[in-house]
Amino acid sequence: MSYKEIIAKYADKPGGIIEAYHAIQREMSYLPIEAVGETAEVFKVPVSQAYGVATFYSMFSVKARGKNIIRLCESAPCHVAGAEEVLAALEKELGIKVGESTADGKFALELSECVGQCQATPVLTVNGKPYFEVSPAKLTGILAEYK
Amino acid sequence: MVSITIDGIKASVPDGSTILQAARSVGVAIPTLCYHPDQSIKANCRICVCEVEGNRLLQAACSQPVAEGMVIKTRSPKVLEARKTILELILANHPQDCLNCIRNGNCELQDLAMEYCIRENPFEFKVRGYKKDFSTPSLFRDQDKCIMCRRCIEACSVIQSVHALGVENRGHHAMVVPTLGMDLIDSPCIMCGQCIHACPVGAIGEVEYIEDFLKAVADPDKIVVTQIAPSVRVAIAEEIGMSTGEMPMETFVTGLRQIGFDYVLHTNFTADLTIVEEGNELLKRLSTGGTLPMFTSCSPGWVNFCETFYPDLLDNLSTCKSPQQMFGALAKTYWAEKMGVDPSKVYSVSIMPCVAKKFEAQRPEMNASGYQDVDVVLTTREIGRLFRMSGLDFTKLPPSNFDSWMGAYSGAAVIFGASGGVMEAALRTVYEVATGKTLEDVNFTATRGITGIKDAEVDLDGTKVKVAIANGLANARKLMNQVRAGESPYHFIEIMACPGGCIGGGGQPITKANAKRVERIEAIYVEDENLPVRKSHDNPEVKALYDEFLHEPLGHKSHELLHTHYHDNQKKYL
Ligand code: SF4
Ligand code: SF4
Ligand code: SF4
Ligand code: FES
Ligand code: FES
């Protein structure tokens, strides 16, 4: 589905902008600037406002990024449980730093705040799906699911 | 009314007052940053905190309403300590750049740093490191200095309905950016500069051309000629410590000669000329079934707005150039010829209340003389700086007059500076041209004042002409939407981009409240009243210009030099 079709689907819903953004990201993993412009037009808000929404929430990105978005929790409980080692391993495994995407366009690596799963730290999510008690050793298996 | 106690002073204040309003009414000053008297309450900077008895937390005075019996402390040690910490936190990522800053000496943050004796900041110093945006010829943005008060956003969206500015990201990373994080020139910004007035600090400012001017003055080959816009005189006084309107025109002229101008002429001359051309254009449109309503075209911010947001209505815009550009075209043709000078040596500087004029002067079509018609535009604020730089004492300067040829003007030209003035000036002329009768009372008071939208009806010997006036583009938008829908009852519409008209222009002395604009408007009408000639077509130099050079309004020469065309500039993202 093109972003235009997606936006049109949410046009009449109150608060539809955020839902439309989520739907676009499911399709293309980020919000192209054109999609933000189109959203403004369809929802009849100034582009500056639609852009404000797109950049306010950390789960949205207006920059092109890898298809599968890995987000490692960096809040205190996960941090204490060893998120840092997981991060180092992720960066090594993917060959990129936080905020970057792999050259093949498959993965983007980001950090997130607490995702509310502190019972099983460290936590990371891939495209919103959580993985618990992650360790460097588990990474190859997790990534393989998306290759 | 509610009874309260502020710093031990008992007071009775109107219900619903905020602590800030209550305190000010009894002469207690509370510092503010995000608060702006003509805007909505934002309460995001917290510099205005006060202690309210019975409350553990400090309260923001700008947003907290008073309640019966409230006991408020605005200067307790706890309050002072909190304010100081807030300031230190702001300053911890604010460039320590006052000496090089466009707002040095006129900055709300600098004032507070001084008042609160900020010395050694305990917080780690880290400037955010944004790149400055100098993409437009009119105004720049220096985001590192932004304190995120959001006053500019409100000016741009609520007053102007342009929505060029918004917030990107959130929390610590939040920043005010033009649409989609683009450079200002790629956003829908129409370069009015109202955000400059709104900004408490030096995060937005006019692009200065002082160096270019000084270079021209230093060049013996250049004949430096200036024109002054009608609204500059009333406001320039504020830049040099006099009160609004207090600078006599004759002293101002001497001051300009002192800073290096070879010839001091007046935009008012071409304001009169604009009225003759535009008045005739209106009559022609009325009698030949031309596109109506006709819109005035002297406010370049408004022209940018029309090109950006209403490209379908460009035929409604009068084809008359603004007085600045008419002057520019004539200075390097008619004037140069009359003075017997080589037009290539004429360096034409205009002194304007406006930053959009800087953009207008650089439009590629503004070269009817064969050169760039206006070389440089300096704002009232830049002229203020040049005056201060030269150390002039205006109480001692002898008076002097404008140079002849393009220095004479009528009261009708003077009122161009206030919203409704162009309309009133046009009516004075149109009435006489259309009816052949003398207009006994030249004052059309219905067109005056700072009200956002005004309208009136004039009887031209049986033909009723309906006119409307808007200042501030959110107001203009209402009239434009009517026109677009085919429902406009008007024949002639005056639009000024800035609130109050040019007296409130983006290049005027920093205007912290609309009350200042009202004062300037009053000064404008006083000047009009005191002039012997009050109708544009009676200006003797304008008459001579037609006799010797242009021959007739809307004639061949006029079209070549004084009229222009517009471009659809609809941006991809509005
Ligand atoms: S914005 Fe104000 S405080 Fe900041 S550098 Fe400029 S003058 Fe100084
Ligand atoms: S100059 Fe005018 S249009 Fe441009 S950002 Fe500032 S307020 Fe908005
Ligand atoms: S640019 Fe100026 S007015 Fe706008 S938010 Fe920043 S400090 Fe406030
Ligand atoms: S801290 Fe990581 S999930 Fe709560
Ligand atoms: S002035 Fe009150 S919070 Fe900014």
Side-chain angles (χ1 to χ4, degrees):
Chain A
M1 229 190 307
S2 76
Y3 67 77
K4 284 198 181 192
E5 290 165 317
I6 299 176
I7 295 164
K9 264 184 30 189
Y10 293 92
D12 301 324
K13 293 198 181 150
I17 294 188
I18 291 183
E19 286 190 45
Y21 281 171
H22 273 299
I24 295 168
Q25 285 214 147
R26 278 195 294 276
E27 202 73 24
M28 37 208 323
S29 89
Y30 79 107
L31 300 171
I33 284 304
E34 294 73 26
V36 176
E38 170 83 8
T39 303
E41 204 166 299
V42 170
F43 287 89
K44 297 192 176 51
V45 297
V47 177
S48 52
Q49 202 172 312
Y51 182 70
V53 175
T55 56
F56 185 83
Y57 298 100
S58 62
M59 65 268 189
F60 298 139
S61 169
V62 292
K63 297 209 179 73
R65 57 180 172 178
K67 192 165 172 342
N68 299 298
I69 296 145
I70 305 168
R71 308 190 81 206
L72 178 70
C73 171
E74 60 166 342
S75 288
C78 284
H79 184 81
V80 173
E84 217 160 325
E85 288 93 82
V86 176
L87 180 60
L90 267 171
E91 290 185 334
K92 192 155 165 245
E93 180 90 20
L94 296 168
I96 54 172
K97 293 257 169 263
V98 170
E100 297 175 350
S101 294
T102 53
D104 62 5
K106 281 213 171 100
F107 293 101
L109 179 58
E110 296 177 1
L111 296 174
S112 77
E113 275 160 34
C114 174
V115 292
Q117 304 290 347
C118 321
Q119 77 287 354
T121 54
V123 180
L124 68 72
T125 61
V126 181
N127 302 337
K129 178 182 170 194
Y131 293 84
F132 305 116
E133 291 168 0
V134 191
S135 64
K138 286 190 183 169
L139 289 177
T140 320
I142 297 173
L143 297 182
E145 288 180 41
Y146 300 90
K147 279 200 171 140
Chain B
M1 301 294 272
V2 290
S3 307
I4 54 165
T5 309
I6 301 183
D7 297 338
I9 305 167
K10 294 212 181 312
S12 175
V13 299
D15 292 19
S17 311
T18 60
I19 294 178
L20 181 66
Q21 287 165 329
R24 289 189 174 171
S25 74
V26 298
V28 171
I30 294 176
T32 57
L33 274 173
C34 67
Y35 171 81
H36 186 289
D38 305 318
Q39 294 195 355
S40 67
I41 300 294
K42 301 177 184 59
N44 59 33
C45 77
R46 299 280 139 179
I47 197 71
C48 63
V49 286
C50 291
E51 240 183 298
V52 173
E53 233 174 65
N55 274 339
R56 202 173 48 82
L57 296 177
L58 297 175
Q59 304 291 313
C62 66
S63 63
Q64 182 64 46
V66 292
E68 184 58 38
M70 211 180 232
V71 177
I72 302 152
K73 288 187 201 147
T74 79
R75 50 176 73 118
S76 64
K78 185 174 168 191
V79 166
L80 297 185
E81 184 58 37
R83 288 189 192 148
K84 197 164 176 183
T85 304
I86 290 164
L87 273 176
E88 285 166 346
L89 282 167
I90 295 174
L91 292 169
N93 52 35
H94 190 90
Q96 314 276 300
D97 191 35
C98 296
L99 288 179
N100 308 310
C101 185
I102 198 154
R103 291 292 287 270
N104 190 6
N106 187 7
C107 169
E108 296 182 29
L109 181 60
Q110 191 186 46
D111 289 350
L112 286 174
M114 185 164 62
E115 285 163 18
Y116 282 78
C117 301
I118 302 297
R119 299 289 179 261
E120 259 155 60
N121 196 330
F123 299 101
E124 190 197 346
F125 179 64
K126 188 165 187 294
V127 172
R128 286 161 291 191
Y130 287 96
K131 133 180 157 316
K132 291 183 192 171
D133 179 349
F134 270 93
S135 61
T136 84
S138 296
L139 67 164
F140 70 87
R141 298 186 69 248
D142 183 354
Q143 291 169 309
D144 277 340
K145 290 184 183 160
C146 173
I147 58 163
M148 289 303 292
C149 68
R150 304 177 190 222
R151 284 159 44 166
C152 56
I153 300 179
E154 184 160 331
C156 190
S157 54
V158 178
I159 299 170
Q160 300 298 49
S161 73
V162 168
H163 300 281
L165 300 173
V167 177
E168 177 184 76
N169 301 328
R170 70 164 155 183
H172 229 67
H173 302 289
M175 183 38 67
V176 174
V177 292
T179 307
L180 297 173
M182 301 184 294
D183 283 342
L184 205 51
I185 193 78
D186 300 317
S187 81
C189 170
I190 51 92
M191 296 179 230
C192 66
Q194 285 308 311
C195 50
I196 299 176
H197 288 295
C199 186
V201 297
I204 319 176
E206 66 280 15
V207 176
E208 290 179 298
Y209 293 82
I210 291 179
E211 292 298 322
D212 303 67
F213 163 71
L214 291 175
K215 217 188 268 165
V217 170
D219 183 343
D221 263 357
K222 291 241 152 61
I223 303 162
V224 187
V225 173
T226 190
Q227 51 165 321
I228 316 167
S231 60
V232 174
R233 185 200 65 88
V234 299
I236 187 71
E238 297 164 19
E239 282 288 316
I240 51 166
M242 296 170 145
S243 45
T244 306
E246 212 188 31
M247 166 92 87
M249 189 58 106
E250 296 74 19
T251 317
F252 186 23
V253 171
T254 309
L256 292 172
R257 290 215 166 85
Q258 288 287 328
I259 59 173
F261 288 105
D262 298 314
Y263 290 90
V264 181
L265 310 174
H266 214 309
T267 314
N268 280 357
F269 169 80
T270 38
D272 279 331
L273 181 61
T274 302
I275 286 302
V276 175
E277 289 287 324
E278 197 163 296
N280 279 288
E281 183 184 358
L282 176 67
L283 291 171
K284 186 168 166 205
R285 287 186 189 224
L286 284 167
S287 63
T288 62
T291 309
L292 290 171
M294 183 173 88
F295 309 150
T296 56
S297 56
C298 36
S299 162
W302 147 242
V303 169
N304 291 346
F305 183 81
C306 196
E307 289 182 329
T308 306
F309 293 92
Y310 294 90
D312 48 321
L313 301 182
L314 292 178
D315 286 342
N316 295 68
L317 266 180
S318 160
T319 59
C320 287
K321 285 182 186 170
S322 69
Q324 159 172 294
Q325 293 305 139
M326 285 197 183
F327 185 101
L330 290 173
K332 294 188 182 182
T333 54
Y334 173 72
W335 184 85
E337 206 179 297
K338 238 180 140 63
M339 303 299 292
V341 300
D342 175 357
S344 72
K345 294 192 170 158
V346 175
Y347 190 80
S348 179
V349 180
S350 69
I351 303 176
M352 292 286 142
C354 180
V355 293
K357 289 273 175 208
K358 294 177 188 269
F359 171 80
E360 183 186 41
Q362 293 184 18
R363 279 179 180 254
E365 65 270 26
M366 294 300 175
N367 60 358
S369 63
Y371 307 92
Q372 182 171 322
D373 293 331
V374 172
D375 292 288
V376 145
V377 177
L378 299 176
T379 57
T380 311
R381 290 195 292 273
E382 287 164 273
I383 288 296
R385 280 170 214 141
L386 281 160
F387 281 169
R388 293 195 293 272
M389 198 186 284
S390 325
L392 293 172
D393 178 353
F394 283 87
T395 62
K396 303 231 163 64
L397 286 185
S400 67
N401 284 322
F402 284 96
D403 289 285
S404 67
W405 302 115
M406 305 184 36
Y409 56 94
S410 74
V414 172
I415 59 176
F416 257 65
S419 163
V422 176
M423 180 60 71
E424 182 171 349
L427 293 178
R428 291 179 189 175
T429 288
V430 164
Y431 180 88
E432 295 202 350
V433 173
T435 66
K437 294 185 193 159
T438 305
L439 183 63
E440 295 306 336
D441 181 5
V442 299
N443 300 308
F444 291 86
T445 43
T447 59
R448 298 183 184 179
I450 200 169
T451 314
I453 298 178
K454 297 165 276 190
D455 67 357
E457 192 179 90
V458 200
D459 190 343
L460 299 179
D461 248 2
T463 318
K464 296 229 188 306
V465 175
K466 285 187 158 212
V467 303
I469 296 144
N471 66 86
L473 294 169
N475 295 318
R477 199 179 268 280
K478 293 181 194 147
L479 296 177
M480 289 309 112
N481 288 342
Q482 253 184 352
V483 176
R484 188 176 260 172
E487 289 160 1
S488 178
Y490 303 111
H491 300 101
F492 189 22
I493 298 180
E494 177 205 294
I495 305 221
M496 293 293 159
C498 294
C502 308
I503 50 90
Q508 291 284 54
I510 297 295
T511 313
K512 294 192 177 118
N514 275 335
K516 195 38 132 193
R517 298 174 201 253
V518 173
E519 252 181 75
R520 293 182 192 150
I521 291 175
E522 284 162 8
I524 284 266
Y525 288 104
V526 171
E527 190 173 338
D528 168 37
E529 285 281 343
N530 290 333
L531 283 166
V533 178
R534 296 186 62 197
K535 297 169 205 152
S536 296
H537 54 286
D538 291 343
N539 177 332
E541 290 192 356
V542 168
K543 284 185 184 162
L545 171 68
Y546 278 107
D547 288 345
E548 298 168 5
F549 190 73
L550 295 172
H551 308 305
E552 53 172 344
L554 309 181
H556 175 67
K557 263 241 150 67
S558 291
H559 270 283
E560 222 168 69
L561 295 172
L562 311 181
H563 291 258
T564 186
H565 52 277
Y566 305 101
H567 311 276
D568 178 341
N569 187 25
Q570 189 157 24
K571 298 274 166 93
K572 201 158 154 213
Y573 303 112
L574 288 180

